[in-house]
């Protein structure tokens, strides 16, 4: 299991947060989150918190956009045959759908082809290009692919076919000689939002062709943007924000049918619904079948047809989940065998090729290493593979060095797809083992993750969710804020899910609790060695039968440093406060320790067969019981600092019915005023004074002693009179008052606090820590 080091994303001070909140007219929570994301300028804050359609950029800022539009306009006007060549993931499906609907709005009836993962592999396929050429196409538009198809595109050009490449993937060393390449990262023509998804690029073409009418397609672009995990910054943020709004207008009957199947209400649809419900189902089509049905679903106007495809999609997605679970379990033996490898390469044993990327991803999460998952393809006679890598390791760079070994290859820094001959896979495996060191990536190092807010359970509320939601949509580049709850407990833990691997629990402190879910975390929770831990998670709402409750989605939980200290101290210290003591109990200890000689002398009168000692005698290595409480905390601090006992029981002679007096300033002033305004009051008459003022006699005696020490009053001829004090005195100048304050501190810390709070205080002084 990967070790995680959690760090605060940034640490603005409370003063900085409060001042920022006041100046920017936001809540302290929103202020802290903005400061952590370096969003501090008024214009940036406005754009971030209130993204809208007016912030869409000029589509002609993209490389070759003018050339692409000229080619498309000419093809449409001349009624030429246009083909769209897409990709089989959710980004590719939505890109293809956007381009198809755009051309249809212009009056063209394009054909489209979504590559089959199993027959065609990743990216441009020469055989499919030949088939399209044989169908008499005049223009090919690639979406979400094509930039790596130099040879394939040359074939089409040689046959006189125009080619527009629209893509967003990492650029190869040599670009294809297409008629237009619309890409946000062409050197020298970098777009203002260089991290557009494939669907984002397709939407920009729609924007250039259709103007405001293109907004009817922005919901599809939002799906591709979230599904492809590109950075939700700049224009991507606008696309997702506006896309979610557009989704609620129910323009696409297929998308509405899919949302209904996922039990997602149109009025409440979020980017999380896209990421965890919509996109996985669209992706499932390309993983197990042909993703063309996904394009049909998103572009059809037939509700009955849409429902048929959605039902098929749901069945395919369920089958995909079962296949992933089986393959990942099967992969564990290979993973264990490659524990020392910097890059893990898995060979499937009958694994479905469509789930290789998920197996690679889960293995990467488990091991924090780059992973290639492969399976032999009987049709092509080569190994088909999918790779995933953690942040800090560029998989594209690592594999691109050995491009000559592949029969097909393409992808991003963190995800790649490829085909390779089986004998060359072994060669590649050996070559890749040097890559982590060359990229200065240590797979054994703890993964550093960030949390955003450190709160108490009592701080969690529906209002907090509303504040955090102001920063939505969340995703790459703007992760959903992670909350840290320190020194809390997991209670009522139980396993859930088909394989009983998931955790359902409650996160609790002494007074509050919140329900929590942790996927794949039950085994870790069951192995906790202490009740107290630090919990990290994202706050959400669980709605059940119309009732909404707060729920924490767990990212991690760890025994905190403080909790570990408390756990260690609990191995030494025992809480005997308010417990009854007998001679037999005392004789279980090597020694009974006293802070007051009076208690020691009293104990000696009993026949106790154990050592009775004062606090300043050495107790190292002994099992002791502290009988009484010290007059001040410093004495106790010195004892726990200087005596490394084996075990120490804390009794403190605690009587909950009898407590030290806490000085009452109002009563003290009342008594003093009474003494100053009345004459002939003797010490013997103080009983009547106490009764008249409704005070306890011992309180009056205490206050009076303080007054004498401070020269507020004096005895003259047996009567209590006002003294003529020459200077103003502070109460703490009275030895009696100061001693009482010290005893009150002793009671507050040693007696009234919970055992955990007491140990936490002791940890600053105790020699066992």
């Amino acid at each position: 299991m990967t070790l995680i080091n959690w760090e605060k994303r940034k640490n603005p001070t409370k003063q900085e947060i409060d001042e920022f909140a006041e100046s920017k007219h936001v809540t302290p929570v929103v202020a802290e989150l903005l400061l952590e994301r370096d969003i501090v300028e008024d214009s940036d804050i406005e754009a971030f918190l209130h993204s809208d359609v007016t912030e869409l950029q000029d589509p002609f800022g993209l490389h070759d956009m003018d050339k692409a539009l000229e080619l498309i306009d000419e093809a449409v006007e001349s009624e030429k045959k246009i083909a769209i060549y897409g990709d089989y993931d959710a980004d590719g499906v939505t890109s293809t759908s956007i381009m198809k609907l755009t051309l249809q709005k212009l009056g063209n009836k394009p054909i489209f082809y979504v590559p089959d993962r199993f027959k065609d592999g990743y990216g441009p396929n020469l055989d499919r290009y030949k088939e399209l050429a044989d169908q008499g196409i005049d223009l090919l538009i690639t979406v979400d692919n094509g930039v790596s198809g130099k040879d394939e595109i040359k074939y089409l050009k040689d046959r006189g076919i125009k080619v527009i490449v629209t893509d967003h993937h990492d650029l190869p060393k040599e670009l294809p000689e297409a008629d237009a390449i619309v890409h946000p990262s062409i050197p020298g023509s970098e777009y203002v939002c260089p991290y557009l998804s494939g669907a984002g690029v397709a939407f920009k073409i729609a924007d250039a062709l259709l103007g405001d009418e293109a907004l009817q397609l922005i919901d599809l672009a939002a799906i591709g943007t979230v599904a492809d995990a590109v950075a939700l910054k700049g224009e991507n943020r606008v696309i997702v924000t506006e896309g979610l709004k557009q989704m609620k207008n129910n323009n696409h009957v297929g998308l509405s049918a899919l949302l209904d199947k996922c039990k997602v209400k149109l009025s409440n649809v979020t980017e999380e619904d896209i990421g965890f419900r919509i996109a996985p189902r669209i992706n499932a089509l390309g993983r197990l079948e042909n993703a063309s049905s996904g394009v049909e679903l998103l572009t059809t106007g037939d509700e009955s047809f849409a429902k048929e495809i959605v039902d098929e999609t749901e069945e395919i997605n369920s089958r995909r989940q079962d296949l992933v679970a089986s393959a990942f379990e099967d992969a564990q033996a290979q993973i264990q065998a490659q524990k020392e490898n910097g890059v893990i390469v898995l060979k499937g044993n009958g694994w479905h090729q469509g789930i290789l990327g998920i197996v690679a991803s889960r293995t990467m999460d488990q091991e924090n290493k780059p992973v290639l998952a492969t399976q032999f393809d009987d049709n092509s006679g080569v190994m088909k593979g999918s790779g995933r890598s953690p942040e800090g390791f560029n998989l594209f760079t690592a594999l691109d060095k050995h491009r000559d070994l592949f029969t097909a290859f393409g992808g991003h820094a963190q995800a790649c797809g490829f085909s390779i001959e089986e004998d060359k896979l072994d060669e590649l495996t050996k070559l890749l083992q040097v890559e982590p060191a060359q990229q200065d990536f240590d797979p054994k190092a703890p993964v550093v993750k960030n949390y955003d807010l450190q709160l108490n359970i009592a701080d969690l509320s529906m209002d907090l969710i509303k504040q955090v939601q102001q920063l939505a949509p969340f995703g790459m580049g703007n992760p959903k804020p992670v909350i840290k709850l320190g020194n809390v407990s997991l209670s009522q833990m139980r396993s859930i899910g088909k394989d009983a691997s998931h955790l359902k629990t409650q996160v609790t402190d002494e007074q509050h609790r919140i329900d929590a879910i942790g996927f794949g975390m039950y085994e870790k929770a069951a192995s906790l060695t202490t009740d107290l831990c630090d919990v990290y998670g994202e706050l959400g709402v669980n709605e059940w039968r119309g009732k909404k409750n707060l729920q924490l989605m767990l990212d991690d939980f760890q025994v905190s440093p403080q909790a570990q200290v408390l756990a260690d101290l609990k191995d030494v210290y025992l809480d005997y406060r308010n417990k009854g003591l007998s001679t037999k109990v005392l004789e279980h200890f090597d020694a009974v320790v006293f802070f007051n000689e009076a208690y020691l002398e009293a104990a000696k009168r009993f026949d106790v067969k154990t050592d009775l000692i004062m606090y300043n005698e050495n107790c190292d290595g002994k099992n002791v019981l502290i009988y009484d409480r010290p007059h001040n905390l410093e004495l106790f601090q010195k004892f726990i600092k200087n005596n490394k006992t084996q075990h120490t029981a804390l009794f403190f002679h605690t009587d909950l019915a009898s407590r030290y007096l806490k000085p009452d300033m109002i009563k003290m002033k009342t008594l003093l005023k009474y003494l100053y305004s009345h004459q002939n009051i003797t010490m013997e008459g103080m009983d009547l004074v106490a009764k008249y003022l409704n005070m306890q006699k011992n309180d009056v005696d205490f206050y009076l002693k303080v007054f004498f020490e401070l020269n507020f009053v004096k005895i003259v001829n047996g009567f209590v009179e006002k003294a003529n004090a020459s200077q103003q005195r502070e109460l703490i100048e009275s030895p009696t008052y100061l001693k009482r304050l010290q005893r009150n501190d002793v009671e507050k810390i040693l007696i009234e606090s919970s055992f955990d709070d007491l140990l936490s205080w002791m940890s600053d002084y105790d020699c066992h820590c």
Side-chain angles (χ1 to χ4, degrees):
M1 185 173 292
T2 303
L3 179 63
I4 301 174
N5 280 352
W6 286 94
E7 298 178 354
K8 187 83 161 58
R9 194 176 301 279
K10 282 195 174 180
N11 282 291
T13 65
K14 185 179 185 305
Q15 181 178 349
E16 289 171 336
I17 293 170
D18 290 342
E19 290 177 353
F20 187 83
E22 183 176 0
S23 65
K24 306 303 180 184
H25 308 292
V26 296
T27 67
V29 167
V30 173
E32 185 171 0
L33 295 174
L34 290 173
L35 286 169
E36 289 186 330
R37 286 156 174 74
D38 292 321
I39 303 170
V40 295
E41 300 299 330
D42 289 344
S43 58
D44 293 336
I45 294 171
E46 178 64 24
F48 192 83
L49 296 181
H50 306 103
S51 297
D52 62 40
V53 69
T54 62
E55 295 172 44
L56 288 174
Q57 302 296 312
D58 181 2
F60 288 92
L62 279 161
H63 181 266
D64 279 356
M65 179 64 82
D66 53 345
K67 293 181 182 179
L69 258 64
E70 185 177 340
L71 289 165
I72 292 173
D73 284 341
E74 194 276 330
V76 169
E77 290 175 7
S78 304
E79 297 184 352
K80 291 184 177 179
K81 192 170 186 177
I82 303 176
I84 305 165
Y85 192 95
D87 194 20
Y88 43 68
D89 65 3
D91 190 21
V93 168
T94 51
S95 302
T96 305
S97 301
I98 291 169
M99 193 62 68
K100 179 174 182 279
L101 290 170
T102 298
L103 294 174
Q104 287 176 348
K105 288 178 181 291
L106 294 173
N108 189 271
K109 294 182 179 180
I111 63 173
F112 72 88
Y113 186 82
V114 177
D116 188 297
R117 182 188 295 264
F118 316 110
K119 294 189 302 182
D120 305 327
Y122 175 81
N125 182 285
L126 184 58
D127 291 337
R128 301 293 85 76
Y129 274 24
K130 289 178 179 178
E131 290 176 2
L132 291 171
D134 291 343
Q135 293 180 47
I137 66 169
D138 301 296
L139 172 65
L140 177 77
I141 304 175
T142 72
V143 290
D144 194 34
N145 79 98
V147 76
S148 295
K150 179 177 180 295
D151 295 336
E152 293 83 357
I153 289 171
K154 183 178 185 304
Y155 168 81
L156 292 180
K157 293 293 298 173
D158 289 345
R159 289 191 58 169
I161 297 170
K162 301 290 186 182
V163 178
I164 299 173
V165 170
T166 79
D167 201 352
H168 72 119
H169 290 93
D170 290 350
L171 298 171
K173 294 178 181 178
E174 190 174 353
L175 293 173
E177 296 180 2
D179 295 280
I181 300 177
V182 184
H183 192 291
S185 299
I186 298 293
S189 301
E190 292 88 349
Y191 184 57
V192 65
C193 182
Y195 21 77
L196 286 172
S197 66
V201 175
F203 172 73
K204 297 306 295 182
I205 292 178
D207 188 15
L209 289 167
L210 303 176
D212 289 345
E213 192 178 355
L215 290 175
Q216 296 176 10
L217 308 174
I218 198 170
D219 51 355
L220 302 183
I223 294 173
T225 299
V226 173
D228 220 47
V230 291
L232 286 190
K233 299 179 180 179
E235 193 168 24
N236 280 349
R237 187 170 175 80
V238 181
I239 288 173
V240 176
T241 300
E242 289 298 318
L244 290 170
K245 295 178 184 176
Q246 185 66 29
M247 210 172 287
K248 297 170 185 177
N249 293 333
N250 198 17
N251 285 327
H252 304 290
V253 297
L255 179 55
S256 296
L258 185 57
L259 286 166
D260 184 62
K261 193 71 174 182
C262 298
K263 295 182 172 56
V264 174
K265 296 179 181 179
L266 276 175
S267 59
N268 296 326
V269 63
T270 68
E271 72 278 7
E272 289 183 319
D273 294 319
I274 294 176
F276 295 105
R277 291 180 174 86
I278 299 171
R281 285 167 169 81
I282 296 175
N283 279 327
L285 296 173
R287 293 187 185 283
L288 303 191
E289 303 289 342
N290 187 287
S292 295
S293 60
V295 178
E296 297 289 359
L297 174 65
L298 297 178
T299 59
T300 186
D302 187 330
E303 292 184 8
S304 297
F305 181 49
K307 187 176 184 307
E308 289 179 13
I309 300 176
V310 165
D311 289 341
E312 176 190 355
T313 301
E314 192 68 15
E315 186 277 325
I316 291 172
N317 188 52
S318 295
R319 184 153 50 97
R320 185 267 307 171
Q321 292 172 333
D322 292 338
L323 289 170
V324 169
S326 176
F328 187 57
E329 182 178 357
D330 184 45
Q332 293 305 311
Q334 293 185 59
I335 295 170
Q336 292 301 315
Q338 298 184 56
K339 277 291 185 183
E340 300 305 314
N341 285 7
V343 178
I344 294 176
V345 180
L346 304 174
K347 292 184 179 180
N349 179 22
W351 299 347
H352 196 291
Q353 291 178 32
I355 51 92
L356 294 177
I358 303 177
V359 173
S361 181
R362 289 196 178 182
T363 305
M364 177 200 73
D365 290 339
Q366 177 180 295
E367 302 298 322
N368 190 38
K369 294 179 180 179
V371 180
L372 305 182
T374 67
Q375 173 63 44
F376 185 78
D377 180 46
D378 292 327
N379 295 325
S380 62
V382 298
M383 302 293 288
K384 295 292 183 69
S386 196
R388 300 290 185 271
S389 66
E391 290 291 334
F393 185 90
N394 191 313
L395 187 59
F396 183 89
T397 298
L399 296 181
D400 193 46
K401 293 179 181 179
H402 312 291
R403 184 179 283 268
D404 58 313
L405 295 178
F406 300 102
T407 58
F409 166 68
H412 304 284
Q414 263 64 62
C416 293
F418 58 90
S419 298
I420 190 170
E421 294 178 3
E422 190 169 10
D423 60 338
K424 292 184 178 179
L425 179 62
D426 294 335
E427 180 182 352
L428 177 67
T429 301
K430 294 177 182 178
L431 291 170
L432 289 178
Q433 300 313 315
V434 300
E435 284 296 327
Q438 291 183 359
Q439 294 194 26
D440 197 25
F441 175 78
D442 181 4
K444 295 182 179 179
V447 175
V448 176
K449 290 190 177 183
N450 297 120
Y451 67 91
D452 302 85
L453 301 169
Q454 181 159 2
L455 302 173
N456 299 313
I457 299 177
D459 300 322
L460 308 182
S461 66
M462 293 293 182
D463 181 64
L464 177 64
I465 291 179
K466 290 179 182 179
Q467 293 183 58
V468 169
Q469 200 62 28
Q470 292 182 46
L471 280 78
F474 301 112
M476 288 292 293
N478 180 36
K480 190 171 184 179
V482 175
I483 295 169
K484 175 183 177 180
L485 301 174
N487 292 324
V488 292
S489 299
L490 300 183
S491 64
Q492 299 185 30
M493 295 186 295
R494 60 189 180 92
S495 59
I496 59 174
K498 289 182 180 179
D499 59 357
S501 66
H502 307 312
L503 171 68
K504 184 174 179 60
T505 186
Q506 286 189 334
V507 182
T508 66
D509 58 23
E510 291 184 340
Q511 295 179 313
H512 306 89
R513 62 186 64 238
I514 182 174
D515 292 333
I517 296 289
F519 293 109
M521 294 186 178
Y522 180 74
E523 183 178 349
K524 179 177 181 178
S527 64
L528 278 174
T529 57
T530 177
D531 290 338
L532 289 176
C533 56
D534 290 342
V535 166
Y536 304 87
E538 299 160 9
L539 187 61
V541 177
N542 179 37
E543 187 169 355
W544 175 250
R545 294 180 178 177
K547 186 177 181 180
K548 296 181 178 180
N549 293 303
L550 293 175
Q551 179 175 268
L552 198 66
M553 300 302 298
L554 299 177
D555 291 309
D556 191 25
F557 47 85
Q558 300 176 347
V559 176
S560 67
Q562 181 64 19
Q564 187 60 60
V565 168
L566 296 185
D568 293 341
L569 288 179
K570 283 182 179 179
D571 288 338
V572 177
Y573 291 96
L574 309 172
D575 191 3
Y576 271 47
R577 297 173 300 172
N578 295 306
K579 289 187 176 181
L581 286 186
S582 66
T583 301
K584 286 186 176 180
V585 171
L586 293 178
E587 289 175 352
H588 283 298
F589 296 93
D590 299 325
V592 178
V593 178
F594 296 86
F595 282 93
N596 300 279
E597 290 188 5
Y599 283 120
L600 173 61
E601 293 303 319
K604 287 180 178 179
R605 294 197 294 266
F606 297 92
D607 185 20
V608 181
K609 295 181 176 61
T610 188
D611 290 338
L612 304 177
I613 61 176
M614 288 296 289
Y615 69 94
N616 52 6
E617 298 182 48
N618 190 294
C619 296
D620 279 352
K622 295 182 179 180
N623 293 308
V624 303
L625 178 139
I626 296 180
Y627 182 82
D628 57 336
R629 67 188 87 164
H631 291 304
N632 62 67
L633 290 174
E634 288 185 7
L635 292 178
F636 184 66
Q637 292 168 6
K638 289 179 180 178
F639 178 84
I640 61 176
K641 183 177 181 179
N642 296 327
N643 291 281
K644 197 164 189 176
T645 59
Q646 185 174 353
H647 292 99
T648 300
L650 305 175
F651 177 62
F652 293 143
H653 190 57
T654 308
D655 181 0
L656 291 178
S658 177
R659 294 295 181 85
Y660 290 129
L661 164 69
K662 290 180 173 60
D664 187 320
M665 295 298 296
I666 295 177
K667 289 184 177 180
M668 292 183 76
K669 289 180 180 179
T670 299
L671 175 61
L672 189 60
K673 183 178 180 181
Y674 185 88
L675 295 176
Y676 282 2
S677 60
H678 290 77
Q679 298 178 354
N680 303 322
I681 300 175
T682 65
M683 293 300 295
E684 291 76 13
M686 284 299 166
D687 288 343
L688 295 175
V689 172
K691 186 175 182 180
Y692 178 79
L693 296 177
N694 195 25
M695 296 183 188
Q696 296 292 324
K697 175 59 166 55
N698 60 341
D699 290 1
V700 170
D701 291 342
F702 167 74
Y703 298 147
L704 196 59
K705 187 174 182 181
V706 172
F707 296 159
F708 281 129
E709 291 177 350
L710 296 176
N711 200 28
F712 289 166
V713 296
K714 61 183 179 180
I715 298 291
V716 178
N717 299 323
F719 297 103
V720 179
E721 294 183 2
K722 178 179 179 180
N724 296 317
S726 60
Q727 61 181 3
Q728 189 173 352
R729 305 289 297 277
E730 298 292 335
L731 289 175
I732 58 173
E733 294 181 58
S734 161
T736 298
Y737 187 84
L738 181 60
K739 186 176 181 180
R740 182 57 55 86
L741 289 183
Q742 292 174 336
R743 290 189 175 186
N744 286 335
D745 287 340
V746 168
E747 184 166 284
K748 180 179 178 181
I749 299 295
L750 303 187
I751 308 303
E752 294 179 350
S753 61
S754 69
F755 193 48
D756 283 342
D757 287 344
L758 172 57
L759 293 180
S760 180
W761 176 83
M762 290 170 57
S763 66
D764 290 334
Y765 313 100
D766 192 85
C767 61
H768 297 87
C769 297

